[in-house]
């Protein structure tokens, strides 16, 4: 018998949009390579910095996350076309993805360097092939990727390759594209791109309550500003 649907707690979430410069993203990628000998993507950097900024805001602005080391989660969806179809998917244009969840202590995410958070994201992605193989043969007694609709979780969606900014309906490409609606029980960040000729990444969020918004804005802007790091 399937489990009952999750109880959804409605959240009073507020929006924030921040542009990350290509220079800061490139510097973080270069620092990560120098530290680990491994490469990371702009997506990894954006996920890590947004998750860290949000976690710092939750801890510094008081409330349930101010003390102790509560677990925090970030969830995103990874492409598994190369794992699931294995060359047999010619002509298949539907979605083929698998949820990746990263869980760490709030103190670890908030206090560490952004490179440490990038490493946690990369480590979770590195397990993707093995996890998909286990899932395919029913190797999980309990679904470890059941979505958590709680304030300690952040959901990230990647819009960078959807082509929205290239769409022209007769009056030129759009200056800004955002989700039509956000669900008030899910803290969300959408990673896209700013309109041309600007380059870099645009992170559109609806993920913090009003009490945490000022600190979240400060943390995100610190990375986006010329002095950000």
């Amino acid at each position: 018998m399937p489990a009952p649907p999750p109880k959804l707690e409605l959240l009073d979430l507020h929006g924030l949009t921040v542009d990350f410069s290509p220079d800061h993203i490139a510097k973080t990628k270069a620092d990560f390579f120098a530290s680990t000998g491994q490469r990371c993507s702009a997506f990894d950097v954006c996920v890590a910095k947004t998750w860290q900024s949000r976690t710092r805001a939750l801890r510094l602005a008081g409330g349930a996350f101010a003390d102790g080391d509560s677990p925090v989660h970030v969830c995103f969806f990874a492409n598994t076309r190369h794992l699931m179809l294995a060359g047999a998917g010619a002509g298949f244009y539907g979605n083929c993805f698998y949820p990746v969840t990263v869980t760490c202590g709030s103190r670890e995410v908030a206090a560490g360097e952004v490179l440490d958070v990038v490493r946690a994201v990369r480590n979770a992605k590195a397990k993707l092939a093995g996890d998909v193989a286990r899932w395919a043969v029913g190797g999980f007694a309990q679904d470890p990727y059941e979505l958590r609709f709680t304030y300690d979780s952040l959901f990230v969606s990647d819009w960078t390759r959807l082509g929205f900014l290239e769409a022209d309906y007769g009056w030129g490409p759009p200056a800004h594209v955002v989700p039509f609606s956000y669900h008030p029980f899910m803290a969300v960040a959408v990673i896209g791109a700013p309109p041309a000729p600007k380059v870099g990444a645009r992170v559109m969020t609806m993920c913090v309550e009003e009490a945490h918004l000022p600190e979240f804005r400060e943390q995100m802007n610190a990375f986006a500003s010329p002095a950000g790091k």
Side-chain angles (χ1 to χ4, degrees):
M1 173 179 288
K7 182 179 180 180
L8 302 179
E9 175 187 357
L10 297 184
L11 304 170
D12 183 20
L13 300 174
H14 291 253
L16 177 70
T17 295
V18 175
D19 290 343
F20 290 162
S21 77
D23 292 341
H24 292 145
I25 294 173
K27 183 180 184 305
T28 303
K29 292 170 66 174
D31 290 346
F32 185 79
F33 183 78
S35 175
T36 66
Q38 301 176 351
R39 301 188 184 279
C40 67
S41 66
F43 175 80
D44 299 332
V45 174
C46 292
V47 170
K49 190 55 198 176
T50 304
W51 188 30
Q52 184 182 65
S53 297
R54 183 177 188 268
T55 303
R56 285 177 174 176
L58 267 56
R59 286 180 62 83
L60 295 176
F65 296 89
D67 300 318
D69 193 23
S70 304
V72 289
H73 320 273
V74 65
C75 178
F76 52 90
F77 295 95
N79 177 33
T80 56
R81 188 179 298 268
H82 60 297
L83 300 173
M84 301 293 292
L85 300 180
F92 175 74
Y93 296 98
N95 288 326
C96 192
F97 59 82
Y98 192 79
V100 176
T101 299
V102 191
T103 298
C104 296
S106 59
R107 184 182 295 117
E108 176 186 355
V109 175
E113 299 291 334
V114 68
L115 298 184
D116 299 324
V117 188
V118 171
R119 184 180 293 107
V121 172
R122 294 292 305 170
N123 288 343
K125 292 172 71 174
K127 299 189 299 182
L128 180 64
D131 287 346
V132 169
R134 290 180 61 194
W135 168 82
V137 298
F140 291 118
Q142 182 177 356
D143 184 3
Y145 302 103
E146 181 178 351
L147 300 182
R148 302 168 57 93
F149 298 102
T150 50
Y151 195 48
D152 56 12
S153 299
L154 172 67
F155 294 85
V156 181
S157 181
D158 184 3
W159 283 17
T160 55
R161 300 183 182 182
L162 296 184
F164 289 150
L165 290 177
E166 289 75 43
D168 186 343
Y169 294 100
W171 51 85
H176 186 50
V177 179
V178 296
F180 179 72
S181 65
Y182 288 95
H183 300 295
F185 50 79
M186 180 185 293
V188 175
V190 175
I191 299 174
K198 196 172 183 179
V199 293
R202 173 163 290 182
V203 183
M204 301 162 283
T205 70
M206 187 72 72
C207 69
V208 292
E209 296 179 337
E210 185 175 6
H212 300 132
L213 182 59
E215 183 63 35
F216 179 60
R217 180 186 293 112
E218 182 175 335
Q219 292 289 335
M220 292 287 280
N221 285 336
F223 187 76
S225 69
K229 56 183 179 178

